[in-house]
Amino acid sequence: MAEEVKEPPRPQRIGVVGGGVAGSAAAMALLLSARRRQKPVKVTLFTAGREDLDEGPVLLTPECRSRLATLGVRAPAGWAEHALAGVELISGAHRTRIPYPAAGTWLVDGYPTGPSGRSLLRDLLLSAAARAGATILRRQVDGIQHQAPLAGMPAGKGAGDFVVRAGGWRERFDHTLLATGAQGFTGPQLFPGHQLPPMWQGAQARLVEPGLGVVGRRWLKVIFRPQRGVDALLLLPCEESTFALGIGREVSGPDLCQSLMVAARDGHLSEGFEIASLAPRPLPAGVGRGLVGPGRIAVGQAALGSPLQLSLSPLLAVSTRAASALMEVGGDPAALRRAYVDLSLDPLARDAVRATRALTWLSRAGRRAPRAVQKALEARQPPTPWTGGLLGLGAPGTRPLLSHARSAAWMTWLEDLVPSMDSLPPATAPLFERDLYYLVDDDPAVRESLTDLLESQGAQVVAFSDESALFAAAARRPPTAVILDVVLQWVDGLRLCAELKRHPSTARTRVVMMSGLGQRHLRSRALAAGAEAFLDKPVVPHELLEILIRGDADPRPPTSLGPGGPGAVSPPPSTGTPAGEAAYGPH
């Protein structure tokens, strides 16, 4: 009697939606976990979604490198060439420096000549997953449907209860993982019942600065509350650029640009920096809902995150734990929830929530924020295992950080109620240069015409083609007046005017605004922002001169544009066409 030949077990078919760092790591972890348990598995990785749009640098802490090694991925030795010294926490004139571990924290980035750090790490993980047996499909997933196979359907490609549709292509899977990241589309159209973590709308930029190789550029700078609406500004010095990240609940591109100008004014950026790119950046700020369901599981930033978690260690840990849980208990929702959410994610979830709250309190703590972080570090309470800490640091833990941040914010609030003599602003603002005028307009013809006009009256004029260097120049050499266009490249002139009037070093600097938009409400908005006058384009020369001459009523010494000053001329009569009047192009 012939022995019955047993057919090999059918491989579990798992589809990973999202081929970013989290999805690639999850695919690799699934293959390794199945190999250890001697379970056949077929992993298909879909990588054509919006997770590929995250083009920032990557911080590789020693723990991150260790976690990559457990996935069979070794970071190239060349990545160690650019290591960071530590984190510098800044609030006004108050600073605290916290060094990174001696083992080194690598900053990986190839911008602008090559791929970004995140792209480099993603490609490294994708290559490793492909070598381990994963199928890589560069397709955008359109939907996932729960649909039981027909009775009698043969095992193999037709098996599985979940149908994944991607660009006209469809295939069945036993389980699916969602790893689309914070920028990917999720929710009912892919995973019914799943909700992303609470999202903050941040903004990121790439800056090109002169002299990036100077001493002291190897510190990650965190500036708390650089301006209203921005909780923190991160400046990460890469090899050939600076990566800037504005963090807050609703931070727009103009908010980030204005924060960068404030940072340059205060000496945290080179005065001649240029903004090479600008983009929105959704930031997870807590824990999502519906992370586990029948045959599905969410990982990476689709599950949880904090704006202060710059290290990829939590993301790698979540992906690894999700893969292990899925291979251990299969697709049973209750068992998967216990193995993945309750046992694995609970500590990380608490850390993400506390870190987000701590950032809010630190932004309110003002000058006490750096010291609050230092006190939390001295508490020596270890962070949650495999979190990677905050800002790429192994410590402090989120519990002492939240406690000290809250205390510092309350102390700052109480002191602001009854300001001491030490906290009062100086009685006199810095003196401006009496013959110095700043002109900001992106139209070269307007800049040239107005510069010629003012220089003909004996003034010294510095013209800016964009607004990025204005704050730094105004702090170093306060001018007599700033002549400012409303429409600029990155930030509208109304916001610039308000910020100039808000800062002590430029509060007394006169601002004249101009615009060719022809909108009546702009005049009232400009005056409300602190402008002395508003002119329509094309600017009439004698009107501008009359406005500047009126400023000589200031008790300080008059400028050369005043009557009797060097090179002074009498303004032309207001009737008829003034001699020499030019059309200074509408904008």
Side-chain angles (χ1 to χ4, degrees):
M1 181 176 178
E3 294 184 2
E4 183 179 352
V5 178
K6 293 184 178 180
E7 293 186 2
R10 179 181 66 83
Q12 290 192 69
R13 302 173 61 82
I14 303 176
V16 181
V17 181
V21 173
S24 303
M28 193 67 194
L30 283 167
L31 293 167
L32 294 177
S33 181
R35 186 179 304 168
R36 287 194 297 269
R37 293 173 172 82
Q38 296 183 345
K39 291 184 177 181
V41 66
K42 178 176 174 54
V43 177
T44 301
L45 183 63
F46 297 88
T47 172
R50 297 188 63 192
E51 74 278 352
D52 294 329
L53 299 179
D54 191 350
E55 295 298 326
V58 163
L59 282 185
L60 283 187
T61 63
E63 185 180 2
C64 283
R65 301 196 295 272
S66 176
R67 292 199 170 278
L68 287 173
T70 62
L71 294 174
V73 177
R74 293 197 174 274
W79 287 4
E81 295 179 358
H82 191 70
L84 294 179
V87 178
E88 183 176 15
L89 306 169
I90 303 167
S91 181
H94 302 265
R95 304 188 183 192
T96 294
R97 281 188 168 184
I98 303 175
Y100 279 130
T105 295
W106 303 354
L107 191 147
V108 182
D109 192 50
Y111 181 92
T113 57
S116 69
R118 207 168 186 99
S119 297
L120 290 170
L121 183 59
R122 180 184 64 230
D123 292 344
L124 190 67
L125 284 165
L126 280 174
S127 299
R131 290 194 302 269
T135 300
I136 312 297
L137 292 181
R138 299 195 177 276
R139 292 174 179 266
Q140 174 70 58
V141 173
D142 302 319
I144 302 174
Q145 293 178 335
H146 183 269
Q147 183 179 337
L150 298 175
M153 181 176 289
K157 184 175 181 179
D161 290 347
F162 296 90
V163 177
V164 176
R165 294 180 290 102
W169 178 96
R170 53 187 287 147
E171 188 169 350
R172 287 184 173 271
F173 293 93
D174 297 291
H175 313 295
T176 51
L177 272 77
L178 181 68
T180 52
Q183 301 191 72
F185 67 96
T186 59
Q189 64 265 57
L190 287 184
F191 277 30
H194 171 261
Q195 293 182 16
L196 278 173
M199 286 290 163
W200 285 11
Q201 182 57 61
Q204 67 182 38
R206 287 284 191 169
L207 314 178
V208 179
E209 295 184 75
L212 280 176
V214 299
V215 177
R217 291 292 299 158
R218 293 171 57 243
W219 290 84
L220 162 62
K221 294 185 178 182
V222 182
I223 305 172
F224 293 109
R225 201 66 176 268
Q227 68 165 36
R228 298 175 184 177
V230 181
D231 287 341
L233 171 64
L234 273 61
L235 299 175
L236 191 56
C238 305
E239 294 188 44
E240 298 184 34
S241 68
T242 296
F243 178 79
L245 178 63
I247 299 176
R249 284 175 171 79
E250 291 291 339
V251 177
S252 63
D255 291 327
L256 174 58
C257 293
Q258 193 158 331
S259 296
L260 293 172
M261 287 184 277
V262 172
R265 177 186 64 195
D266 297 338
H268 305 308
L269 283 172
S270 301
E271 180 180 341
F273 80 90
E274 296 180 1
I275 301 175
S277 66
L278 183 67
R281 174 74 176 267
L283 299 168
V287 186
R289 296 183 179 181
L291 304 183
V292 173
R296 61 176 172 83
I297 186 170
V299 301
Q301 291 187 338
L304 55 82
S306 161
L308 292 178
Q309 283 179 338
L310 297 186
S311 167
L312 292 180
S313 184
L315 183 147
L316 296 174
V318 168
S319 299
T320 302
R321 292 300 300 168
S324 298
L326 189 58
M327 298 309 300
E328 286 174 4
V329 303
D332 178 65
L336 194 58
R337 183 176 296 106
R338 287 193 299 270
Y340 176 55
V341 179
D342 298 339
L343 298 179
S344 298
L345 292 193
D346 186 63
L348 272 178
R350 295 176 184 272
D351 262 8
V353 173
R354 284 196 294 255
T356 302
R357 292 176 179 172
L359 175 57
T360 300
W361 286 107
L362 287 172
S363 70
R364 300 171 181 172
R367 58 192 175 277
R368 283 188 166 80
R371 180 57 182 156
V373 180
Q374 185 66 43
K375 286 183 176 181
L377 188 65
E378 294 167 357
R380 300 204 175 275
Q381 179 177 340
T384 303
W386 41 269
T387 64
L390 304 175
L391 301 170
L393 297 165
T398 56
R399 188 184 300 275
L401 179 63
L402 177 57
S403 175
H404 287 285
R406 186 186 290 116
S407 299
W410 278 108
M411 288 296 296
T412 300
W413 179 76
L414 290 173
E415 279 195 359
D416 289 343
L417 288 179
V418 185
S420 64
M421 293 301 297
D422 294 336
S423 63
L424 291 175
T428 59
L431 292 177
F432 55 72
E433 296 190 34
R434 52 182 299 190
D435 293 328
L436 178 62
Y437 292 80
Y438 288 164
L439 170 63
V440 187
D441 197 300
D442 58 0
D443 189 332
V446 174
R447 293 198 305 273
E448 182 179 359
S449 299
L450 291 181
T451 297
D452 290 344
L453 172 66
L454 296 177
E455 287 182 345
S456 70
Q457 306 302 304
Q460 179 185 355
V461 181
V462 179
F464 300 94
S465 59
D466 66 72
E467 65 277 24
S468 61
L470 176 63
F471 280 12
R476 190 185 76 254
R477 297 179 61 192
T480 297
V482 175
I483 305 169
L484 187 61
D485 191 16
V486 169
V487 180
L488 299 170
Q489 182 176 7
W490 302 109
V491 183
D492 69 85
L494 298 171
R495 298 180 61 163
L496 282 187
C497 177
E499 183 62 30
L500 287 169
K501 289 298 182 179
R502 195 156 36 231
H503 196 270
S505 64
T506 53
R508 299 181 65 185
T509 298
R510 303 163 61 202
V511 179
V512 177
M513 301 202 68
M514 55 185 179
S515 174
L517 297 178
Q519 299 178 4
R520 295 183 178 180
H521 70 280
L522 285 179
R523 182 181 303 274
S524 59
R525 291 179 61 192
L527 298 179
E532 177 180 336
F534 180 88
L535 295 175
D536 292 315
K537 286 185 176 180
V539 174
V540 179
H542 79 269
E543 290 183 356
L544 175 60
L545 295 179
E546 285 179 346
I547 291 170
L548 297 178
I549 289 171
R550 282 203 308 267
D552 292 336
D554 190 284
R556 286 169 287 189
T559 68
S560 59
L561 288 175
V569 296
S570 299
S574 57
T575 57
T577 302
E581 178 171 330
Y584 300 120
H587 182 74

